Amino acid sequence: MKKTIITSCIALISLGVFSQNEHSNHNMNSETKQESTTPKKVLSPHTSAMAMIGDAHVHIDYSSPSVRNRMVFGGLVGYNTVWQAGAHKATWIETNKALKIDGKVLPAGKYGFFVVPGKESWKVMFNSNWDQHGKDEYSEAEDILVTNVKLNKLEKTQESLVYDVKKKKENMGVISLAWETSQIEIPFEVLQK
């Protein structure tokens, strides 16, 4: 009888310890699950820039990477190589009116926006293939308009890539891209038809 009581006590104590451990494990698993469901900060958030210039609605859609203590141009983004002018998918530009850029006509439509950064000037390409990942499918043969623009050096570092569309006159505007210490501007005129 004494052995039965002792055995029963040991069994109850063991059951209590086991139950306590299971409760602790459950709490730890719940905490782990809560931590893993916390949303992570997006390193290159998707964003856009747009403006009405005269009758034209100019819209730019891009992902905005940050410098994050890296050398961007001449490092992360090589000189004299095609870049999709953003992160992830190719940046695209859409206009509902034809634009005149550097004496050339960009018809109304949606275009992939690519650049070739240089130390003093950048080549800018508006490409008919706007829906692509990075520059994977970029083809020079699909360029609709190509121009060169002067590189401006910024005094302060622009941490995140930023585009802007600004009105200069009634039917004239400028598209700008700034990141790290580099900035380019692409002047345009809205064609009236």
Side-chain angles (χ1 to χ4, degrees), residues 43-120:
L43 296 178
S44 300
H46 181 250
T47 189
S48 61
M50 63 189 88
M52 286 295 297
I53 312 293
D55 292 335
H57 180 259
V58 179
H59 181 124
I60 303 171
D61 190 275
Y62 65 105
S63 291
S64 174
S66 296
V67 174
R68 297 194 318 267
N69 296 318
R70 300 176 291 181
M71 181 168 85
V72 175
F73 299 107
L76 180 66
V77 177
Y79 288 123
N80 305 314
T81 55
V82 175
W83 175 49
Q84 71 267 20
H88 312 303
K89 288 186 69 87
T91 294
W92 56 258
I93 293 179
E94 185 172 24
T95 175
N96 65 335
K97 300 285 182 186
L99 305 179
K100 190 175 186 180
I101 298 172
D102 193 25
K104 304 164 195 162
V105 176
L106 181 70
K110 197 171 188 177
Y111 303 97
F113 184 73
F114 297 89
V115 296
V116 176
K119 292 181 180 180
E120 295 179 12

Side-chain angles (χ1 to χ4, degrees), residues 6-22:
I6 291 174
T7 305
S8 295
C9 285
I10 290 173
L12 285 173
I13 290 170
S14 296
L15 185 61
V17 168
F18 177 76
S19 175
Q20 181 91 14
N21 282 341
E22 282 299 304

Side-chain angles (χ1 to χ4, degrees), residues 73 151-158 179-183:
F73 299 107
L151 175 65
N152 302 314
K153 286 293 183 183
L154 301 172
E155 290 181 21
K156 288 185 178 179
T157 298
Q158 173 62 46
W179 192 26
E180 194 190 32
T181 56
S182 297
Q183 181 200 38

